[in-house]
Amino acid sequence: LASRVLNSLNRTMPQDDPDELWDLRNQYYVGHYEGVVSEATTVRLDDADSSMVAERDLFLQLANLAMGEEATPSEHSGPEFTAVEHLSNLVHEAGEADEELMALKRLVDEDGTGNARLRMIAGLAFSKFGSDPNDALRILHGASGSLEALNVSCSILLSMNRVDLASKTLQQMQDIDED
């Protein structure tokens, strides 16, 4: 009887699909970039799910960039990949910093969707290579529901000695995480 009840419950309860990129994202968020590269080569993704493949490739490019390597040209298109190219040019001094930052700003302005990853990448670029951290915060503000963007915002606020605002941002992150 108990097994029939459990089987009945299992059929009626929605089954969550496993998140194949959870380990990869986790490795990236904790700063273990070699782990991202390793996980990206071993994770098995269904080729039909192009968004998962693109996300894997984006995290791989960001991890390679964080390890000091240049971003490799991607077979994927989209504003996030273009932003990574601009960030790579900034990191490796392959382009004029002001031109690269203006290109990122145009990319964010043209997107208009509040793309959190695009804004996070652009915010990172402006915080590291821009002259005014407020520019980075303005870019990140459009993605305020993203833990990634809030994390970058919190770091910028701490670098500006705005502990009060960083504390509020941290509280926002905790509220999102609890949901």
Side-chain angles (χ1 to χ4, degrees):
L1 178 64
S3 65
R4 279 189 285 171
V5 170
L6 286 175
N7 286 337
S8 169
L9 285 174
N10 286 337
R11 282 193 300 271
T12 59
M13 295 179 67
Q15 299 294 317
D16 290 337
D17 292 334
D19 184 358
E20 291 89 357
L21 296 179
W22 189 89
D23 288 331
L24 182 133
R25 281 190 217 99
N26 189 47
Q27 295 289 329
Y28 178 79
Y29 295 144
V30 299
H32 187 237
Y33 303 119
E34 293 90 2
V36 173
V37 173
S38 174
E39 184 66 28
T41 57
T42 60
V43 69
R44 301 276 185 240
L45 296 176
D46 182 10
D47 290 336
D49 193 357
S50 61
S51 65
M52 294 284 277
V53 173
E55 185 177 4
R56 177 201 60 200
D57 292 350
L58 180 66
F59 276 103
L60 181 60
Q61 284 198 354
L62 289 170
N64 283 329
L65 193 57
M67 292 188 301
E69 299 173 17
E70 288 191 44
T72 57
S74 175
E75 63 187 47
H76 304 286
S77 62
E80 301 97 341
F81 290 97
T82 305
V84 169
E85 289 176 27
H86 290 298
L87 182 59
S88 179
N89 289 342
L90 285 165
V91 168
H92 297 291
E93 300 174 0
E96 181 64 36
D98 290 337
E99 290 176 17
E100 296 293 339
L101 290 173
M102 290 308 297
L104 279 168
K105 176 83 171 97
R106 276 192 307 275
L107 196 61
V108 168
D109 290 343
E110 290 169 0
D111 179 58
T113 65
N115 183 331
R117 289 229 168 90
L118 169 62
R119 288 180 176 273
M120 186 262 311
I121 295 166
L124 282 171
F126 272 85
S127 70
K128 184 158 176 72
F129 300 101
S131 58
D132 185 6
N134 289 311
D135 290 338
L137 291 172
R138 275 190 283 282
I139 288 171
L140 291 164
H141 181 72
S144 58
S146 161
L147 284 174
E148 295 170 314
L150 288 170
N151 181 32
V152 175
S153 295
C154 192
S155 297
I156 293 168
L157 290 167
L158 287 172
S159 73
M160 296 169 62
N161 292 323
R162 291 300 312 261
V163 178
D164 56 330
L165 294 176
S167 178
K168 287 180 183 179
T169 304
L170 179 62
Q171 182 60 48
Q172 283 180 308
M173 292 171 65
Q174 289 172 335
D175 292 343
I176 290 170
D177 187 46
E178 289 174 359
D179 288 342

